Amino acid sequence: MTTDSVQQDMFTVLHGQPAPVVTRWSYSADDPFAVVLAVRTRSDRWVEWMVARDLVVDSLEGPAGYGHVRMSPQIVQGYDIVEIEISSHDGRAILEVDRDLLRSFVESTLELVALGAESDCMDIDSAIAKLTQGCP
């Protein structure tokens, strides 16, 4: 297993709001299938969403995702963005992030772990043991 990781902060527009919010995108080769999207709140608290890296990769070229997280490339007022729709029982948010910044982040993740090589970075037996630890 490796401890290689990448992290990138980006200004993101919360749909319909004039001021951008800060998002932090994180990827670790220790959890190679996932990207963590954290949104900083007004009270400097971070709210995190874990999304499939494949979803983020696919969203650069077309609509991706279903359920609670959906992403799609858009041109909004001349800006090339990826729109991120996040929903839960507590509400819904639509974020807009610059597509080139997101592409740069994705490329950094691919330098750590190539698409299709994610399983090579995981110790499946250890992951199962962690999930089932304490189960009768």
Side-chain angles (χ1 to χ4, degrees):
M1 300 235 313
T2 179
T3 58
D4 292 331
S5 64
V6 293
Q7 182 173 294
Q8 183 171 337
D9 288 353
M10 297 181 219
F11 282 113
T12 305
V13 175
L14 183 58
H15 190 71
Q17 299 297 311
V21 296
V22 176
T23 57
R24 176 167 292 149
W25 297 75
S26 304
Y27 177 80
S28 173
D30 289 337
D31 192 359
F33 291 101
V35 167
V36 176
L37 164 58
V39 179
R40 190 168 70 191
T41 67
R42 288 187 178 122
S43 59
D44 280 338
R45 196 176 122 239
W46 291 91
V47 177
E48 293 184 343
W49 288 81
M50 185 175 287
V51 298
R53 180 173 71 156
D54 286 350
L55 184 148
V56 179
V57 171
D58 291 347
S59 75
L60 294 171
E61 303 305 323
Y66 58 92
H68 295 291
V69 180
R70 298 171 192 237
M71 300 174 71
S72 64
Q74 307 277 331
I75 302 293
V76 175
Q77 297 178 343
Y79 294 101
D80 191 11
I81 61 139
V82 172
E83 183 180 270
I84 306 156
E85 181 180 350
I86 301 171
S87 62
S88 74
H89 64 279
D90 291 328
R92 178 174 168 258
I94 298 176
L95 305 169
E96 300 169 357
V97 65
D98 182 89
R99 187 164 20 168
D100 287 337
L101 288 175
L102 189 57
R103 186 181 317 278
S104 173
F105 171 76
V106 165
E107 289 170 357
S108 296
T109 74
L110 298 176
E111 290 174 11
L112 292 178
V113 179
L115 282 179
E118 294 91 349
S119 295
D120 298 339
C121 295
M122 287 192 72
D123 180 352
I124 297 296
D125 292 330
S126 175
I128 291 171
K130 284 181 187 176
L131 290 172
T132 58
Q133 192 174 37
C135 291

